[in-house]
C-alpha cells in the first residue's frame, strides 16, 4: 500500500509524526488477515476483548460482537472500548446471527472466524453449519463437542470438509491437553486411559476439605470467590466434568455417547429441582454424607477427589473417589486441573498435564491462540 501524506507545509514535526502514525495504522488495518465476530461478552468474552487491545492481537480485526440480547457490527473494525458495557446497556441492534456473518463477509479478510464465548447450546448447534459455509469456529462453548453424539459426528464431517475448529478453551481453560493428545495421535500413539481432576471449583473444594469445616461453608466461600457458578449445582452435578471427559475421549477416538458416562454428582435428589435461592438455603444438607465419606477415607489414610476416568475399554466415570496420598490428584493446589494420560508410549508413567484449569484470562488466551493459529 502506498500513501501520500497531506501535511500542512506550516505544520511542525509533531503533525508529520501524527500523520505518519495514521498511515501506519491504516496499513496495519488493511493487512490484517483475520476478522472475527465474538459471541458472548461475559467473563471470558470480556477478557478476550481486553486481549484484542494488546499488540499480540494486531492481526485480528473485531467486526462484530454480541451478548444474548444485542449486537454491534462494523465491517472495518469495532472500537471495543466499552463495547461490553454498551451491549449490557442494550446499545446496538437486536440479535441476529445473519448480521454478524454479513459483517465477516464484508470485512474482506482472508480468514473469517466466529468465536463462541457462550455456554449456549442453540449457538453450539450452529457450529458445524458455519464451518460448512467456510467460516472457522473458535470456541470455549462445550455444548457441541461435549454434547450428543450426532452433533459431534456432524462436527467431524464439517472439519473434514475444510473448516477449522479451535477447541483449546473447552478443556482445562487452555492447558495444552487437546493439542498434546492430537500430537501424540499424529505420531501413532494412542490413549489407553485417562484420569484427572477437570473442574477448578471441585479441585479447590476437595483440596481444602479436611473435615475441619463443613463442606457447605467451603462451598459458600468458593462461591464468594467466584470459583463456582452462581448456582453451584452446575459444578457439583459433575455434568461439566462429564462434557470435558467426552471431548477428550472423542478426540482420542472413543466415540462415546452422553449416556455412556456414569456421572455420580454431589447434589442429593431432594435438592435437584429447587430454585437457586432455595438450594442455597439448604446447603447444609450436603454436609453429613460428605463428612461420613471423608471420615472413612481418612481412617484409611486416604483423601477424597472428584475424578474423571476413562479406562482402556472406553468405560467413562465421573464422581467422588477415595485416593491414597501418593496419588497425583492428592497433591493438587488451589483450583488446579490435572490430566493424566496413559498412552501406548507413556505407559510406565502417565503424561501429566497440570495447572490452572479455569479463569477468564487463561481461557481468553486459549481463544486468541486458536484464532492466531488460523492465519
Ligand atoms: N469462566 C471460565 O473460567 C471459563 C473457563 C473455561 C471455559 N469457560 C466456558 O466459556 C463460556 C463462557 O463462560 P463465561 O464464564 O464467560 O460465561 P458468562 O460470564 O455467563 O458469559 C456468557 C455470555 O454469553 C452470552 N450469550 C448467551 N447466549 C448468547 C447468544 N445466543 N448469543 C450471544 N451471546 C450469548 C451472555 O449474554 P448475556 O450477558 O446477555 O446473558 C454472556 O455475555 C462457557 O461455555 C464456559 O463453560 C469458562
Amino acid at each position: 500500500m502506498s500513501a501520500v501524506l497531506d501535511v500542512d507545509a506550516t505544520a511542525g514535526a509533531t503533525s508529520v509524526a501524527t500523520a505518519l502514525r495514521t498511515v501506519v495504522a491504516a496499513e496495519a488495518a488493511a493487512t490484517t488477515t483475520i476478522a472475527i465476530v465474538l459471541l458472548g461478552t461475559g467473563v471470558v468474552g470480556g477478557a478476550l476483548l481486553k486481549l484484542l487491545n494488546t499488540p499480540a492481537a494486531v492481526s485480528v480485526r473485531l467486526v462484530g460482537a454480541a451478548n444474548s440480547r444485542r449486537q454491534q457490527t462494523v465491517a472495518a473494525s469495532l472500537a471495543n472500548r466499552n463495547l461490553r458495557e454498551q451491549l449490557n446497556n442494550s446499545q446496538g441492534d437486536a440479535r441476529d446471527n445473519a448480521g454478524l456473518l454479513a459483517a465477516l463477509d464484508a470485512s474482506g479478510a482472508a480468514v473469517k472466524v466466529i468465536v463462541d464465548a457462550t455456554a449456549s447450546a442453540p449457538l453450539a448447534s450452529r457450529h458445524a453449519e458455519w464451518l460448512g459455509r467456510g467460516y472457522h469456529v473458535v470456541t470455549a462453548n462445550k455444548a457441541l463437542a461435549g454434547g450428543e453424539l450426532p452433533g459431534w459426528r456432524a462436527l467431524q464431517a464439517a472439519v473434514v470438509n475444510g473448516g477449522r475448529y479451535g477447541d483449546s478453551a473447552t478443556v482445562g481453560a487452555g492447558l495444552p491437553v487437546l493439542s498434546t493428545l492430537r500430537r501424540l495421535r499424529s505420531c501413532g500413539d494412542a490413549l489407553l486411559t485417562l484420569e484427572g481432576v477437570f473442574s477448578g471449583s471441585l479441585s479447590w473444594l476437595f483440596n481444602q476439605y479436611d473435615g475441619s469445616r463443613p463442606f457447605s461453608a467451603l462451598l459458600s466461600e468458593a462461591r464468594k470467590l467466584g470459583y463456582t457458578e452462581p448456582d453451584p449445582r452446575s459444578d457439583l452435578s459433575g455434568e461439566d466434568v462429564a462434557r470435558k471427559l467426552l471431548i477428550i475421549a472423542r478426540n482420542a477416538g472413543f466415540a462415546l455417547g452422553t449416556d455412556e458416562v456414569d456421572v455420580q454428582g454431589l447434589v442429593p435428589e431432594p435438592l435437584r429441582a429447587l430454585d437457586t435461592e432455595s438450594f442455597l438455603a439448604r446447603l447444609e444438607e450436603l454436609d453429613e454424607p460428605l463428612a461420613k465419606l471423608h471420615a472413612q477415607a481418612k481412617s484409611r489414610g486416604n483423601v477424597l477427589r472428584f475424578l474423571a476416568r476413562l479406562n482402556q475399554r472406553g468405560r467413562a466415570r465421573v464422581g467422588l473417589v477415595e485416593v491414597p496420598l501418593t496419588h497425583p490428584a492428592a497433591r493438587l493446589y488451589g483450583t488446579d486441573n490435572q490430566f493424566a494420560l496413559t498412552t501406548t508410549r507413556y505407559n510406565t508413567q502417565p503424561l501429566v498435564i497440570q495447572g490452572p484449569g479455569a479463569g477468564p484470562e487463561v481461557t481468553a488466551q486459549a481463544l486468541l491462540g486458536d484464532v492466531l493459529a488460523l492465519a
Side-chain angles (χ1 to χ4, degrees), residues 197-282:
V197 174
F198 299 178
S199 154
S201 51
L202 291 168
S203 179
W204 188 87
L205 283 165
F206 288 101
N207 295 342
Q208 301 289 316
Y209 187 46
D210 60 4
S212 62
R213 289 172 70 195
F215 187 81
S216 58
L218 281 174
L219 186 58
S220 298
E221 189 181 338
R223 189 169 174 270
K224 275 199 201 102
L225 290 167
Y227 293 159
T228 72
E229 293 293 325
D231 185 334
R233 283 173 297 186
S234 308
D235 305 278
L236 299 175
S237 70
E239 293 300 335
D240 195 55
V241 172
R243 271 191 286 275
K244 292 174 188 167
L245 180 57
L246 275 175
I247 292 173
I248 304 175
R250 288 169 176 176
N251 275 287
F254 297 91
L256 298 182
T258 47
D259 56 349
E260 290 178 272
V261 187
D262 173 13
V263 185
Q264 301 290 327
L266 297 176
V267 187
E269 218 284 318
L271 302 186
R272 286 183 200 160
L274 301 176
D275 60 68
T276 306
E277 212 173 308
S278 313
F279 170 69
L280 293 174
R282 291 174 59 179

Side-chain angles (χ1 to χ4, degrees), residues 38-46 66-70 84 88 95 97 116-120 122-123 140-142 169-170 172-173 229 240 244 357-360 363:
L38 172 63
L39 304 172
T41 56
V43 176
V44 171
N67 65 15
S68 66
R69 291 155 287 119
R70 292 277 146 188
R84 191 179 177 205
N88 284 340
R95 274 292 283 116
N97 289 334
D116 186 346
T118 77
S120 159
L123 277 187
N141 184 347
K142 297 175 272 291
T170 58
E229 293 293 325
D240 195 55
K244 292 174 188 167
T363 309

Side-chain angles (χ1 to χ4, degrees), residues 37-40 63-73 93-105 113-116 118 120-127 129-130 133 135:
V37 293
L38 172 63
L39 304 172
V63 299
N67 65 15
S68 66
R69 291 155 287 119
R70 292 277 146 188
Q71 67 188 44
Q72 293 192 20
T73 53
D93 304 322
R95 274 292 283 116
D96 165 33
N97 289 334
L100 293 168
L101 300 189
L104 278 179
D105 294 339
V113 191
I114 298 161
V115 179
D116 186 346
T118 77
S120 159
L123 277 187
S125 72
R126 310 293 298 275
H127 289 180
E129 175 204 328
W130 291 333
R133 290 172 60 183
Y135 305 104

